Every structure is written in C-alpha cells, then in structure tokens.
Amino acid sequence: MINRVVLVGRLTKDPDLRYTPSGAAVARFTLAVNRTFSNAQGERETDFINCTVWRKQAENTANFLKKGSLAGVEGRIQTGSYEGQDGKRVYTTEVVADSVQFLEPKSANADRSQGQQPSYQQNQSPSPSQQNHTRVDEDPFSSGSGPIEVSDDDLPF
C-alpha cells in the first residue's frame, strides 16, 4: 500500500513550533494549495491543508518559513479522531511531512514588498551553503479575498 502526498503552496500563518515532554520538536502549519481546475464560475478554489513536521525539519521550518512563504511538502496522509467537548466524535486529516522544501530565494521577500515578482533561473540549484528561504513581513493575501493563484512557474516540477 502506498500513502504519499506531494504539495506546493503558501503558508497561511507562521509555523507553530513546540516541543514534546521528551524534547522532540514538532511544527504545525497550514498550506494553501490551489486546485488544478476551475469551478463553475471560472475561479480556482483553494484547499487549506494542515501539516505537521517533526525534529530538525520542524525547527528549520519554524526558523525559515513564515506566513506567505512558498513551500513544498512531501509526506503521508494521517487521519485520527477524538471526542469533542460536545461529546461528538471529531475526525481529523493532516499531512505528516517527511520533507519540507523552501521554494523561494531569500530575495523573494524584498521583491514582494516592492511589488516585484522574483526572477527565477531554470535548472539552477542552490549550493549547500546558500540558504533557500524567505521571510515575509507583509500579508501576501491582502490584495483580494479570492483564491490564491499559483502559476506554473511556482511549481518545482
């Protein structure tokens, strides 16, 4: 049986980093991912997918990704349930990430705050010494209340 998921989207808020009693880091965040098709009104809908990442990847995610950061997540779907305060069963679905990739260069934040689109060069992978992350201080979703657009240029494949 196979349970693998690959997502590309933008964080809806800063990751929430916590530590278990045994000291293991865990970060939770929500990824906004556009659907590949349009609805009856010709608009793309967006799914908001809860993600969890553990240990060193959790610390890196919390340190280098912020609200609005473009990220790629690879992992598995995990479901669960618990009894809510009203006594009813609540079902959960999340992606437990094995890998979180930072898909924007550090300069993307400066470009975005100046209203410019970052320029990307194809087939150029960063050297290990480069930090491939971004920090976003402004709300990239404030320009409208519609779906979040992700162009084909934003996708790593």
Side-chain angles (χ1 to χ4, degrees):
M1 294 180 221
I2 298 174
N3 179 357
R4 297 302 301 163
V5 63
V6 177
L7 303 168
V8 174
R10 293 193 181 273
L11 275 69
T12 61
K13 61 183 179 181
D14 291 355
D16 179 27
L17 177 66
R18 297 179 186 217
Y19 291 87
T20 66
S22 63
V26 58
R28 289 185 168 85
F29 58 94
T30 301
L31 207 60
V33 179
N34 276 351
R35 295 184 181 175
T36 58
F37 54 88
S38 299
N39 63 17
Q41 293 76 35
E43 301 168 341
R44 279 192 167 177
E45 295 181 7
T46 303
D47 292 302
F48 297 90
I49 301 169
N50 294 325
C51 300
T52 301
V53 62
W54 290 87
R55 298 175 187 78
K56 187 64 176 170
Q57 282 269 359
E59 292 175 328
N60 287 339
T61 297
N63 287 332
F64 298 120
L65 292 180
K66 300 295 177 204
K67 178 179 179 178
S69 296
L70 185 66
V73 173
E74 183 180 353
R76 61 183 170 82
I77 299 276
Q78 180 172 292
T79 60
S81 65
Y82 61 92
E83 190 173 309
Q85 292 179 346
D86 58 2
K88 292 184 179 178
R89 180 70 48 202
V90 177
Y91 294 93
T92 62
T93 302
E94 68 179 346
V95 171
V96 177
D98 298 323
S99 172
V100 177
Q101 301 294 318
F102 313 147
L103 299 180
E104 290 182 310
K106 188 176 180 181
S107 64
N109 178 43
D111 292 342
R112 199 174 7 258
S113 67
Q114 296 172 4
Q116 301 171 358
Q117 292 295 324
S119 60
Y120 297 97
Q121 295 179 0
Q122 281 189 320
N123 301 328
Q124 182 182 21
S125 57
S127 70
S129 64
Q130 289 177 315
Q131 289 182 331
N132 191 18
H133 62 83
T134 183
R135 293 188 181 271
V136 177
D137 298 325
E138 295 182 1
D139 183 357
F141 307 113
S142 65
S143 61
S145 60
I148 300 164
E149 294 298 324
V150 177
S151 72
D152 289 341
D153 293 340
D154 290 335
L155 300 176
F157 45 87

